[in-house]
Structure formats: C-alpha cells, structure tokens
C-alpha cells in the first residue's frame, strides 16, 4: 500500500512534467516538484517503517530496500537539480528511472539478508558504496540519453519552442565524466568492501564464490572498468559516439544488475545470498 | 525633442550624437548658461539623440525652436538641416515617449536590453553635471521603474531576434558551455562579421582568428577586441580550421568555397572535434552536405536561423501590446502625481483663501446677530460653506480637466492673478 502511494505521486509528477514539455508552464513545473516531493516523504516514511520492523537500517536489509534507497537517491537528485536549474527539464528523464526502480523493487527479495550479527561497518560500507556507484551509473545513463536527445535536436536544427529545455552538450558531457568517475570509485570500493565483509564476518555469512549475484557484479565491475578506460582514452569527450556507447553500455549494466536481483528471487538456479 | 532611426538618417544622428563625457559636459554647461532655471537630460545612442527639458515655470524652459537652435550651435550643424529631422513632444507626450523608450518599445530591435542602461547612464550624467531637478528626477526614476516592470511582467525581452544573436546565443549556447577556451574563426570582415563579433564578445570568447582577403579590413573589425586575436589570409584557412571550435563565415562570394572534399582532410586532422559552423553568407559559403560529414559538425545557415528569429519576433510583438498597456497606465499615474504636485498648492491656497473670507464674514455676522441660537448659527455656517464650495467647483474642475493634457500653466497663472494668490 505504501509503495502504491509514493509510486502514484511519482507517476503524477511525470505526467505534469510530460504536459510541461508540450506547453511551457512554470505552474506545471512546481506541481511536478511538489508531487514528487510529497512522494519522497511517503517513500522515506515507508523505508523507516520497514527499518523499524526489521531492526535494521535499509542498507542492511533486503534487495527491496536497496532498490528503494537507490530510487530515493535518484529522486532527491532530481529535486535538487530541478530546483537549482529551473529552466531545464530533468523530470522526463529522471522520473521514469525512479518509477522503474520502485517498480523493480516489488519483484525482488523483501526479507533481510543480513542480521544484527553481521559486521555493521562492512555491510554499510559495501552496500552504500554499491548504491552510490549504481546511482552514478544511472546518472551517467540519463546524462548520455539527454546528450543524445539534445544532439539530435541540434543536428536537425529543431531547438523547438516547447518546454523541453536541456543543458548544452558540453555541460552534459562534463557531468557525465564526473558520474563515470564516481561510478568507478564507488563500485570499486563496493567490490572490495564486499570481500572485506566476507573475511571479517567469519561464519555469520555463508557466501559461496559461485554466488550468481557476486559473479554477476564482478563481471559488471570489470565491464565498468573497461568503460572507464575507454572513456579516458577517447580523444573527443564531447561527441555523440561517447554518449551513444555509454548510454548502451550503462543501460546494459543497469538491466543486468536489476535483472539478477529479480531473477534470483524466482529462479532456483540463481539463488543467492543477496536474495 | 529628439531624432531617431525612424525620423533621421545615420548622417544626421552621427552629427548630433554626444560621444564623450567632455562633449556632454560642454553641452550641459552651455545649456545651463542659457537656461539656468531649466532642467535637462541628454540621451544619445546609436539610434537616437534626445533632449528632455523641464521647469517649474514654463517661461524658463526653452521652446522647440530654441532647442533646435541649441542643437545646431553645440554640434555646429546648420539649423536648416535639422528642422525636418527633429520631433517635438511636449508635456504628457514627452512622458509617454520616455517611458516607451526606456521600456524598449521604441527601439529598432523591439525588447532590446541595452536601452534601459543607456537611459540610466544619460540620467546619471545629467546629475553629475548638475543639470537635473525635481521634475526630471521624478520622470527618469519613474521611467526606469516602468522599464523594470515591463521587463518582469512581460516577455518582451525574451527570445533573440537577430540572426547573429540567435546563432551565437541559442544554437552555439546549446552546444558549448564556455566560450573562453574555444578557438573561434571568423571568415570575412563585413558588417555581419562585426555584429557576430559583438555577440561572441558577450559570450566571453578570448581566442579569435579572423580570416580575410585583406589584412587591413580584418584589422578594422578587431580594433576594440580584448583577448588573443590573429589575422590570417584566406590561403591559410585550412590550417586555421583544423584548430577551430566555432567558425562564422560571412564572406561575399558567388559560390560556396567550403565543401565536403575540402573539409574531409580538415576533419581528419582535427580528430573530428565538435565544430559549430555558422554560414551567414548570401549566397552560401558552405555546401549543406558538409553538415552530414560526421556527427560532430553542426552547420547552420541564414534560413535555419530565420525561423527562430521570426518566431521570437512574433512572440515579442504580442508582448509589446502588454507592455504598451503598462506604459499607458504608468503615464496616467505619473500625470496624476505631477498634477497634484503643480496644482495642489494653488488649489489649496484658493480653498483656504475663500474659506478664510467666509469664516471672517460669518464671525462678523454672528457678532451682530447675537440673538441667534446655536442651531441657527450652525445652519448659516453650513449654508455659507455650501455657497463657497459651489463657487469653487467650476475653476477647480477646469484645472483638473486641463491637467489631463499637461500642466495648465496659463490657467494657473490666471487663477493666481484673479484671486491674488501670491507665492
């Protein structure tokens, strides 16, 4: 019930943003922000209620909570960016991501995979790094999409007079570079803190190295390192090719990560410690 | 009194323009020596030269002929050359004109943003030269306030409407975030190149390359450029284009000189960096297939930009109606305030004078008729007051009515003389 409440708010906010694209209106912009903000409060209340029930903070709980935390971080980022840059249209790109994450969270494991005995520091470090890292993956994906849309409009000489106003290409490319950097740092910390968690927890965590999520994440980590290396080597950061390839690559990463979490709940062959 | 781009050609406006602080100071000195009790503000821009004068006593304010002669003397321009070009707007029309000018409703480019700063500078210069007084203080301060209201309550200044400003502001601004680190190449040195340079300067461009057939013409347009500038001959164009981020082509040619075959090696040498190509030549300087050479070239010509300009112009003209409404309202309010300021003291003195007389006569009457009861005395007092108010009504109503057209100086003087209302 709680999820439906805040999910509805996000969908309504997206509708306001969609209408705002076709007709410029400051009122619609504020309505979208207000509705999304309201959804955010309900979202936080939901996470706090679950945390109270399980006795664990959301980041120590289940895949369901992790995805909701990621959705919340994305929402807060949208609110901050939109308030700070009123003239741009972030909603049509970021709100669908928030909605999809919230939707995906209903298909993953809802029970906690850790307990109060699990070393808290390592779990928090591991999960929070991964959540921030994947948040950066998501941002980079969104920024790449925005770049491609803006690029197409400029190429076809259609900077139209509707409400879809995007930052310039150079700015999008620069922010994308920062997002990729954050992604690499935090996914690496997440990866190695996971190893640290296993070694420090002793017998409280029975992790098998063939765990599908662990294997999947390891492949994803290697893949993102590859993207980063290619990024560094690209001569032209401000180019459509960079945006095109990073949007595809990072889209693949996101689908893989969320897909693994969903599949591990429903497929016995993919049973994982992570749920 | 004024001349603008609509009433006088550039030759005359150039002769009448005030181009330096020394020229302003000289003009104000001369004006004050000839009309010491009058207030004045001179406004001079590339599209207009205007002089606003005001005074409490109309006899101390120069007439339109005197102003024309003043213009003629200080600029050493024959009076006959000026008479057909100068327009005279007195009283409320002068107020309306200034409000329209400050709100950019009278500008060549409707909604342009520079004029309000130019009006403010003109007012400040007049203040520095002690040429203003209470009337022009009120007028110019109100004009700046009206301009601010037009800017906030309408979208008159939104949307660019010249080709060069649309190209640089909207399209280049949608590609690049900063311009100070970009290599900008301008091909040609004509008017369009000059205009585009202005907008590029506003954007903070520091590294400029001008490519032209003749070095001398290229030097002219970069005379006031602050930053790195290099001048190249047309033969060096290919080498210059390798480093370019923004290229503005304004050459007058009969056929395009940049095509796919020429651009291919340039693009290879530049690692296909993002390139904004602006073709402002007519006929075009760059073939349209250059824009399809790779994904990182953005090519725009005049036709591509004209649509955006027209859309913005249309939007501005709709906003102009709103802005005109604001100006009309502001003129009425200002007029009402000035009416009170100029006629208020006289109206007050007239009322006081008549009521003083009625009170004196009433006192004399009640002293003689001491048998009267209080209620009878009150009734007599009320009757006398009604008589005085009814007698006062026609002259006061006439003053109010004439004030709608401007300060009724002669009527006020007549009232003062008729009723002995001395200062």
């Amino acid at each position: 019930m709680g999820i439906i409440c805040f999910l509805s708010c996000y969908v309504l906010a997206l509708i306001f943003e969609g209408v705002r694209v076709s007709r410029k209106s400051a009122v619609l912009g504020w309505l979208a922000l207000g509705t999304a903000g309201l959804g955010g409060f309900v979202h936080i209340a939901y996470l706090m209620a679950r945390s109270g029930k399980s006795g664990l903070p959301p980041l120590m709980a289940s895949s369901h909570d992790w995805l909701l935390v990621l959705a919340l971080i994305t929402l807060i980022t949208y609110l901050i960016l939109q308030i700070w840059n009123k003239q741009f249209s972030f909603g049509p790109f970021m709100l669908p991501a928030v909605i999809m994450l919230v939707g995906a969270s209903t298909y993953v494991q809802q029970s906690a995979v850790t307990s109060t005995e699990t070393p808290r520091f390592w779990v928090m470090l591991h999960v929070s790094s991964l959540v921030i890292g994947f948040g950066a993956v998501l941002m980079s994906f969104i920024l790449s999409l925005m770049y491609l849309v803006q690029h197409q409009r400029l190429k076809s000489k259609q900077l139209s007079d509707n409400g879809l106003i995007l930052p310039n290409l150079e700015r999008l490319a620069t922010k994308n570079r920062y997002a990729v950097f954050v992604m690499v740092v935090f996914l690496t910390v997440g990866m190695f803190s996971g190893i640290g968690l296993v070694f420090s927890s002793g017998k409280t965590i029975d992790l098998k190295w063939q765990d599908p999520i662990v294997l999947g994440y390891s492949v994803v980590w290697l893949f993102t390192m590859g993207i980063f290396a290619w990024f560094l080597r690209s001569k032209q950061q401000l180019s459509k090719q960079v945006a095109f390839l990073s949007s595809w690559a990072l889209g693949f990463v996101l689908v893989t990560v969320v897909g693994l979490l969903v599949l591990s709940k429903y497929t016995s062959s993919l049973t994982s410690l992570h749920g | 009194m004024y001349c603008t781009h609509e009433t006088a050609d550039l030759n005359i406006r150039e002769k009448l323009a005030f181009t330096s602080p020394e020229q302003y100071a000289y003009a104000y000195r001369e004006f004050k020596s000839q009309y010491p009790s009058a207030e004045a503000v001179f406004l001079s821009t590339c599209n207009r030269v205007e002089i606003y004068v005001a005074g409490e006593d109309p006899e101390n304010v120069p007439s339109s002929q005197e102003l024309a002669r003043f213009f003629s003397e200080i600029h050493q321009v024959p009076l006959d050359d000026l008479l057909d070009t100068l327009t005279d707007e007195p009283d409320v029309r002068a107020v309306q004109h200034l409000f329209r000018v400050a709100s950019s409703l009278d500008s060549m480019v409707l909604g342009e943003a520079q004029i309000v700063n130019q009006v403010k500078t003109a007012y400040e210069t007049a203040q520095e030269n002690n040429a203003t007084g209470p009337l022009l203080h009120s007028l110019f301060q109100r004009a700046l306030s009206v301009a601010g209201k037009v800017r906030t309550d309408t979208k008159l200044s939104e949307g660019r409407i010249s080709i060069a400003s649309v190209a640089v502001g909207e399209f280049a601004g949608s590609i690049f975030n900063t311009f100070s680190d970009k290599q900008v190449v301008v091909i040609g040195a004509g008017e369009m190149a000059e205009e585009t340079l202005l907008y590029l300067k506003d954007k903070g461009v520091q590294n400029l390359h001008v490519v032209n057939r003749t070095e001398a013409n290229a030097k002219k347009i970069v005379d006031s450029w602050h930053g790195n500038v290099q001048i190249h001959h047309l033969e060096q164009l290919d080498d210059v284009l390798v480093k370019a981020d923004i290229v503005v082509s304004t050459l007058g040619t009969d056929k395009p000189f940049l095509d796919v075959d020429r651009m291919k090696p340039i693009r290879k040498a530049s690692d296909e960096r993002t390139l904004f190509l602006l073709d402002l030549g007519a006929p075009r300087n760059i073939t349209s297939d250059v824009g399809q050479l790779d994904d990182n070239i953005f090519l725009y010509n005049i036709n591509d930009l004209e649509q955006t300009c027209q859309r913005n112009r249309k939007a501005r003209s709709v906003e102009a109606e709103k802005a005109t409404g604001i100006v009309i309202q502001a003129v009425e309010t200002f007029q009402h305030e000035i009416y009170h300021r100029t006629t208020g003291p006289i109206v007050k003195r007239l009322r006081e004078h008549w009521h003083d007389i009625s009170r004196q006569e009433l006192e004399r009457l009640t002293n003689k008729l001491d048998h009267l009861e209080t209620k009878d005395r009150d009734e007599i007092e009320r009757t006398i007051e009604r008589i005085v108010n009814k007698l006062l009504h026609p002259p006061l109503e006439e003053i109010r009515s004439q004030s709608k057209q401007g300060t009724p100086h002669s009527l006020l003087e007549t009232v003062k003389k008729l009723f002995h209302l001395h200062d």
Side-chain angles (χ1 to χ4, degrees):
Chain A
M1 183 62 191
I3 287 187
I4 291 174
C5 275
F6 56 84
L7 187 60
S8 310
C9 287
Y10 299 151
V11 170
L12 190 58
L14 181 60
I15 291 171
F16 285 135
E17 287 280 13
V19 176
R20 190 180 158 218
V21 164
S22 57
R23 58 173 100 152
K24 286 186 206 173
S25 166
V27 171
L28 285 169
W30 285 112
L31 278 172
L33 279 172
T35 319
L38 180 64
F41 276 117
V42 180
H43 193 149
I44 291 169
Y46 178 82
L47 283 169
M48 284 172 69
R50 277 184 62 84
S51 172
K53 224 174 177 177
S54 66
L56 293 166
L59 288 177
M60 284 186 73
S62 64
S63 312
H64 173 78
D65 298 88
W66 301 333
L67 283 178
L68 286 179
V69 168
L70 182 55
L72 184 61
I73 290 174
T74 309
L75 175 81
I76 292 171
T77 307
Y78 155 68
L79 290 171
I80 292 172
L81 283 175
Q82 195 62 76
I83 291 170
W84 205 256
N85 302 279
K86 281 190 274 290
Q87 71 276 26
F88 296 132
S89 312
F90 294 106
F93 295 90
M94 296 186 75
L95 285 171
V98 172
I99 290 166
M100 282 195 282
L101 284 169
V102 172
S105 73
T106 60
Y107 292 98
V108 301
Q109 184 68 261
Q110 302 227 1
S111 50
V113 300
T114 62
S115 69
T116 48
E117 289 174 8
T118 320
R120 198 181 177 103
F121 167 75
W122 284 106
V123 172
M124 290 297 283
L125 181 63
H126 174 63
V127 180
S128 58
S129 307
L130 287 178
V131 164
I132 294 172
F134 284 117
V137 169
L138 183 59
M139 269 318 296
S140 180
F141 174 69
I142 289 171
L143 288 166
S144 301
L145 275 184
M146 289 170 81
Y147 186 104
L148 292 170
V149 168
Q150 183 73 327
H151 185 281
Q152 176 56 31
R153 291 164 88 200
L154 284 163
K155 206 68 174 150
S156 57
K157 300 163 194 186
Q158 295 295 327
L159 269 190
S160 59
D161 58 354
N162 67 19
L164 188 68
I165 300 170
L166 299 176
N168 58 59
L169 294 181
E170 193 175 12
R171 200 165 165 186
L172 287 168
T174 305
K175 300 300 177 210
N176 193 18
R177 263 203 305 286
Y178 294 152
V180 167
F181 181 74
V182 168
M183 166 186 94
V184 161
V185 166
F186 281 92
L187 285 182
T188 305
V189 170
M191 178 80 169
F192 288 102
S193 58
I195 297 170
L197 169 62
V198 169
F199 283 117
S200 67
S201 62
K203 290 191 177 132
T204 56
I205 290 184
D206 178 26
L207 179 72
K208 294 182 178 39
W209 294 105
Q210 313 93 298
D211 186 304
I213 300 286
V214 171
L215 283 176
Y217 279 175
S218 305
V219 169
V220 158
W221 179 77
L222 282 170
F223 190 67
T224 51
M225 292 306 112
I227 294 171
F228 181 56
W230 170 73
F231 232 78
L232 288 178
R233 288 193 58 219
S234 283
K235 283 184 190 164
Q236 299 301 336
Q237 294 295 318
L238 183 61
S239 91
K240 184 187 173 187
Q241 290 86 342
V242 170
F244 186 75
L245 287 167
S246 64
S247 66
W248 273 104
L250 297 171
F252 164 73
V253 163
L254 288 167
V255 167
T256 305
V257 165
V258 176
L260 278 172
L261 284 172
V262 172
L263 287 174
S264 70
K265 183 182 174 188
Y266 295 102
T267 313
S268 55
S269 56
L270 281 178
T271 309
S272 164
L273 177 69
H274 292 83
Chain B
M1 173 164 278
Y2 63 90
C3 66
T4 71
H5 56 279
E6 287 178 0
T7 61
D9 64 28
L10 187 57
N11 267 341
I12 294 288
R13 294 204 313 272
E14 279 175 344
K15 286 179 190 169
L16 298 181
F18 296 93
T19 54
S20 66
E22 292 76 26
Q23 209 174 8
Y24 273 108
Y26 166 69
Y28 280 120
R29 264 198 317 274
E30 285 300 308
F31 184 87
K32 283 193 306 188
S33 71
Q34 293 180 34
Y35 310 103
S37 307
E39 307 171 26
V41 174
F42 305 144
L43 170 64
S44 177
T45 73
C46 48
N47 289 323
R48 63 185 66 247
V49 182
E50 305 189 340
I51 176 167
Y52 293 85
V53 295
E56 298 283 353
D57 185 348
E59 290 194 10
N60 295 331
V61 175
S63 65
S64 46
Q65 289 91 343
E66 286 168 333
L67 276 177
R69 201 170 302 121
F70 174 77
F71 260 128
S72 165
E73 283 168 7
I74 57 163
H75 290 291
Q76 303 289 301
V77 173
L79 187 59
D80 290 341
D81 292 353
L82 298 181
L83 289 174
D84 289 336
T85 61
L86 292 174
T87 307
D88 171 39
E89 303 267 32
D91 297 321
V92 70
R93 287 185 0 231
V95 173
Q96 186 159 359
H97 179 82
L98 178 62
F99 286 7
R100 283 180 57 81
V101 166
S103 305
S104 71
L105 285 166
D106 200 59
S107 298
M108 191 189 275
V109 175
L110 187 65
E112 54 110 343
Q114 293 95 326
I115 186 64
V116 67
N117 289 329
Q118 289 164 333
V119 167
K120 190 173 175 199
T121 304
Y123 169 50
E124 286 168 354
T125 306
Q127 279 182 297
E128 283 161 18
N129 286 278
N130 298 315
T132 50
L135 287 172
L136 288 186
H137 278 314
S138 299
L139 179 65
F140 273 79
Q141 282 166 8
R142 185 58 58 85
L144 294 171
S145 160
V146 171
K149 188 171 167 61
V150 163
R151 197 169 49 250
T152 49
D153 291 5
T154 73
K155 294 178 188 171
L156 189 67
S157 300
E158 285 180 25
R160 296 172 171 85
I161 57 177
S162 80
I163 295 280
S165 70
V166 163
V168 173
E170 288 199 24
F171 288 89
S174 296
I175 297 170
F176 301 112
N177 198 40
T178 54
F179 287 75
S180 55
D181 57 343
K182 302 297 183 292
Q183 301 291 328
V184 175
V185 177
V186 174
I187 308 173
E191 258 187 51
M192 194 55 107
E194 247 188 297
E195 189 191 341
T196 312
L197 277 179
L198 286 174
Y199 295 110
L200 290 169
K201 201 173 171 182
D202 280 345
K203 280 289 190 184
V205 167
Q206 290 291 311
N207 305 303
L208 178 66
H209 302 261
V210 179
V211 184
N212 198 38
R213 292 184 188 104
T214 56
E215 201 174 298
N217 288 345
K219 275 190 180 157
K220 264 193 236 169
I221 67 165
V222 297
D223 211 16
S224 58
W225 186 264
H226 298 292
N228 304 321
V229 57
Q230 293 177 48
I231 294 172
H232 308 269
H233 197 271
L234 216 46
E235 284 162 5
Q236 300 166 296
L237 180 62
D238 288 25
D239 294 332
V240 177
L241 287 180
V242 169
K243 295 177 282 198
D245 299 295
I246 299 170
V247 177
V248 182
S249 186
T250 66
L251 219 51
T253 60
D254 53 0
K255 58 184 177 134
F257 60 86
L258 268 183
D259 57 16
V260 167
D261 292 332
R262 191 170 180 181
M263 282 301 289
K264 265 190 189 152
I266 294 170
R267 292 300 286 160
K268 194 170 174 196
S270 70
D271 292 324
E272 295 188 1
R273 67 199 288 147
T274 295
L275 178 63
F276 177 59
L277 277 171
L278 184 53
D279 183 357
L280 298 181
R284 283 183 284 179
N285 295 169
I286 307 172
T287 56
S288 53
D289 52 1
V290 166
Q292 316 306 321
L293 197 51
D294 60 64
D295 280 325
N296 296 324
I297 289 184
F298 299 93
L299 169 62
Y300 295 89
N301 59 41
I302 290 179
N303 287 343
D304 300 325
L305 303 166
E306 186 56 43
Q307 210 181 0
T308 305
C309 290
Q310 277 181 10
R311 191 187 67 230
N312 291 345
R313 265 185 221 116
K314 200 172 157 192
R316 280 200 186 185
S317 61
V318 166
E319 294 300 310
E321 284 180 31
K322 257 195 238 171
T324 303
I326 293 173
V327 164
I328 289 172
Q329 179 74 31
V331 168
E332 276 177 23
T333 309
F334 184 76
Q335 207 183 339
H336 198 63
E337 288 168 14
I338 293 293
Y339 156 70
H340 272 298
R341 189 185 300 179
T342 50
T343 61
I346 293 171
V347 166
K348 189 179 168 194
R349 283 210 305 271
L350 185 63
R351 279 187 196 279
E352 282 173 359
H353 182 59
W354 280 42
H355 283 292
D356 282 346
I357 292 172
S358 71
R359 271 193 292 275
Q360 284 166 16
E361 291 304 316
L362 181 63
E363 206 177 311
R364 195 173 293 147
L365 182 68
T366 52
N367 286 342
K368 281 189 178 163
L369 303 175
D370 54 5
H371 61 276
L372 286 176
E373 290 178 13
T374 310
K375 66 177 171 83
D376 297 322
R377 270 195 216 113
D378 289 343
E379 189 57 44
I380 292 170
E381 189 178 346
R382 278 197 292 273
T383 302
I384 292 174
E385 206 171 307
R386 274 200 304 274
I387 292 168
V388 166
N389 285 338
K390 281 189 177 168
L391 287 171
L392 273 175
H393 181 74
L396 294 184
E397 190 54 37
E398 188 58 27
I399 291 172
R400 199 175 295 123
S401 166
Q402 283 205 17
S403 293
K404 285 181 184 154
Q405 311 306 321
T407 309
H409 295 289
S410 57
L411 178 60
L412 291 174
E413 281 306 307
T414 306
V415 164
K416 274 157 83 172
K417 279 182 188 157
L418 278 176
F419 300 105
H420 293 200
L421 300 173
H422 302 294
D423 292 329

